[in-house]
Amino acid sequence: MKKNLFTAVVTSALIGSALYAVPAAAAPETSLFQTMNASEEPEEAEEKDVATVSVSAESSVKIEPDMAEIAFSVDTTNADAAEAEKENSEKTDAVQAALSALGIDGMEVSTSDYSMSPVYDYNNTDEEGNPALTGYEVTTTLSVTGIGVDDAGKVISEGVKAGINNVQYVNFLSSNYDEAYDQALAQAMKDCRRKADVIAEAAGLKVIRATWIDEGYQDTSAKYETRSYAANEVMEAYDASSADSSRTLTPGQLEITASVSVEYSLADSSAED
């Protein structure tokens, strides 16, 4: 009797365990990723691009220059090469001393070029047609940078008095170039978007996004190369009779320009936002 009762209890326990295990084995497996996705709302369908439009724009900003760069030279000629070089060296030293005496903050003087070349008289030739050698010309070119606009005239005046006889150029610059260029660039981008909106509206479409942007050529000459006075213009403007006073140069304004090209994607304007 006890044996039968023990068998019944064991059998009942085994059957219960089996019944408990069957549903768990039959249940489909669900990963954590699937569980998380199941709780998310379905994403809204994005607007479908139906066309693209490419536009370009250019914008300019005018600013006052505040810096200048000058290049001038000492030219000497002599029948003897050594004498020509000696005379040129003495005059160049005198010019550098005069510029140094100005004590202008930030001004830098450097020798940017030096040359010696023979001088020929092509109206006087020998029996073989070779022109006669009459002497030698020596040229030392000095570049002066870091000059405030207000000091540019003084530098030229003192340089000429000391021995400069050829002014090659005067460039007016701006230390605020980057800020001006950024402003012009931002305006060019706004103009591109305005053009794209006009074109899209006329076509019954609307602008979705910029898909391609290209910055146009950037002319950085206004940083340290811009409007120049040619050599003859400066020398003709210089009045030797007023050598005791400094010249006043009027640089005008610098025009900083930026350009961009942009491609925008377009969608049907009737589509819901």
Side-chain angles (χ1 to χ4, degrees):
M1 179 70 179
K2 291 182 179 180
K3 182 178 180 181
N4 292 338
L5 178 60
F6 175 78
T7 303
V9 171
V10 173
T11 303
S12 176
L14 292 174
I15 293 174
S17 299
L19 291 175
Y20 176 78
V22 168
E29 294 184 1
T30 303
S31 67
L32 177 60
F33 178 76
Q34 292 172 321
T35 302
M36 292 175 64
N37 283 348
S39 64
E40 294 180 355
E41 295 293 335
E43 295 184 359
E44 295 183 2
E46 294 185 358
E47 293 173 307
K48 184 177 180 181
D49 299 346
V50 297
T52 60
V53 61
S54 297
V55 294
S56 298
E58 181 178 278
S59 180
S60 298
V61 174
K62 291 185 178 181
I63 56 176
E64 298 288 340
D66 57 357
M67 303 296 288
E69 177 185 69
I70 305 173
F72 38 40
S73 62
V74 176
D75 299 332
T76 57
T77 303
N78 195 289
D80 181 77
E83 287 299 319
E85 196 282 328
K86 179 181 178 182
E87 181 183 352
N88 187 273
S89 178
E90 291 174 349
K91 287 186 176 181
T92 299
D93 289 343
V95 170
Q96 291 179 320
L99 296 179
S100 178
L102 292 176
I104 299 175
D105 293 338
M107 183 176 69
E108 296 183 4
V109 183
S110 61
T111 302
S112 57
D113 190 33
Y114 175 85
S115 66
M116 175 186 286
S117 56
V119 179
Y120 295 100
D121 181 2
Y122 289 92
N123 294 321
N124 183 13
T125 60
D126 57 21
E127 295 179 355
E128 297 180 357
N130 297 316
L133 176 65
T134 60
Y136 297 87
E137 181 180 36
V138 179
T139 300
T140 299
T141 302
L142 300 175
S143 294
V144 188
T145 60
I147 313 169
V149 168
D150 295 338
D151 295 320
K154 183 188 300 183
V155 169
I156 292 176
S157 296
E158 293 302 312
V160 170
K161 286 191 292 183
I164 289 295
N165 51 15
N166 184 0
V167 178
Q168 297 179 353
Y169 64 78
V170 180
N171 287 341
F172 294 104
L173 330 166
S174 174
S175 61
N176 299 314
Y177 170 87
D178 289 335
E179 291 83 351
Y181 180 77
D182 290 348
Q183 183 180 345
L185 192 62
Q187 184 58 53
M189 281 296 296
K190 291 179 180 179
D191 290 342
C192 279
R193 179 56 191 256
R194 176 184 55 79
K195 288 181 178 182
D197 285 336
V198 171
I199 294 173
E201 183 179 358
L205 303 171
K206 62 180 178 181
V207 175
I208 302 302
R209 65 182 65 83
T211 59
W212 177 80
I213 302 174
D214 179 58
E215 179 187 12
Y217 169 72
Q218 180 182 358
D219 180 5
T220 59
S221 60
K223 279 189 173 183
Y224 281 97
E225 292 178 5
T226 183
R227 293 179 51 188
S228 299
Y229 286 101
N232 60 340
E233 292 175 339
V234 175
M235 295 307 294
E236 288 173 3
Y238 181 79
D239 183 359
S241 64
S242 62
D244 292 335
S245 61
S246 299
R247 287 205 54 79
T248 299
L249 302 181
T250 306
Q253 290 185 314
L254 301 175
E255 187 171 26
I256 313 301
T257 302
S259 61
V260 291
S261 297
V262 186
E263 179 184 84
Y264 295 94
S265 61
L266 308 177
D268 190 344
S269 61
S270 63
E272 294 182 0
D273 294 332

